[in-house]
């Protein structure tokens, strides 16, 4: 009787594996398809995020009203030169800290601008352009205030 029971159990297990094999194959195929769709969607999201980032860069800084951006576009762009800023500072006989106080920025900003490791923003460019037009007496007078 035990051989009959064991053969019956083994036959049931074999039939169950055979039926499950087809179902598992279908599940594996659908899983593979879903994974490839997910990968394609991730690539699409990445490209869209890059396009959005590029479009926000080209559209201008955040927080500006339409009139401010039109005004900035109407005025000619100011070119910045680290050497010119350093020459102006030495010509006026002031330190980087004094120039920073004159421009209302930090000493580190002036240091990085002169070193060429960073560039000033548009608002600071306006202040720099105005400061470059000042004479030595005006600069010293503003620093004493």
């Amino acid at each position: 009787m035990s051989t009959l029971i064991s053969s019956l159990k083994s036959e049931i297990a074999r039939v169950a594996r055979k039926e499950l094999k087809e179902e598992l194959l279908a599940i594996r195929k659908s899983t593979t398809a879903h994974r490839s769709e997910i990968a394609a969607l991730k690539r699409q999201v990445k490209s869209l995020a890059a396009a959005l980032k590029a479009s926000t860069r080209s559209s201008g800084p955040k927080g500006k009203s339409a009139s401010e951006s039109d005004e900035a576009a109407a005025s000619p762009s100011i070119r910045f030169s680290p050497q010119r800023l350093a020459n102006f500072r030495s010509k006026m006989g002031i330190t980087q800290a004094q120039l920073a106080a004159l421009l209302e920025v930090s000493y580190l900003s002036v240091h990085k601008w002169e070193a060429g490791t960073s560039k000033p923003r548009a608002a600071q460019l306006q202040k720099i352009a105005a400061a470059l037009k000042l004479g030595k007496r005006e600069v010293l007078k503003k620093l004493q205030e």
Side-chain angles (χ1 to χ4, degrees):
M1 191 72 175
S2 66
T3 58
L4 178 64
I5 292 173
S6 64
S7 0
L8 187 60
K9 282 183 181 179
S10 64
E11 186 63 22
I12 291 172
R14 186 185 66 78
V15 171
R17 279 194 303 270
K18 186 177 179 182
E19 288 183 15
L20 285 177
K21 186 175 182 181
E22 293 174 11
E23 291 179 20
L24 287 176
L25 185 63
I27 291 173
R28 285 185 189 129
K29 283 183 180 179
S30 66
T31 303
T32 305
H34 291 310
R35 284 184 179 163
S36 64
E37 286 177 28
I38 290 171
L41 288 173
K42 282 183 179 180
R43 285 190 298 270
Q44 185 180 9
V45 166
K46 188 176 180 180
S47 67
L48 289 174
L52 177 65
K53 191 174 184 180
S55 68
T56 56
R57 276 192 208 143
S58 65
S59 68
K62 295 179 184 175
K64 280 195 170 185
S65 65
S67 63
E68 289 176 354
S69 61
D70 291 342
E71 182 180 313
S75 67
S77 63
I78 300 168
R79 287 190 288 167
F80 175 75
S81 166
Q83 187 62 40
R84 185 173 173 210
L85 186 64
N87 289 342
F88 169 75
R89 186 178 58 78
S90 64
K91 182 177 139 186
M92 294 297 144
I94 58 176
T95 64
Q96 287 181 341
Q98 290 172 325
L99 181 60
L102 179 69
L103 298 174
E104 299 172 353
V105 296
S106 70
Y107 156 77
L108 189 59
S109 295
V110 173
H111 175 74
K112 287 182 177 181
W113 294 341
E114 285 186 3
T117 57
S118 70
K119 292 185 178 184
R121 295 183 183 145
Q124 284 104 7
L125 279 175
Q126 297 293 333
K127 290 179 183 179
I128 292 170
L132 290 176
K133 294 177 184 175
L134 297 176
K136 190 169 186 172
R137 288 186 203 138
E138 293 170 318
V139 168
L140 295 174
K141 183 180 175 185
K142 285 195 176 211
L143 284 173
Q144 288 177 356
E145 292 175 354

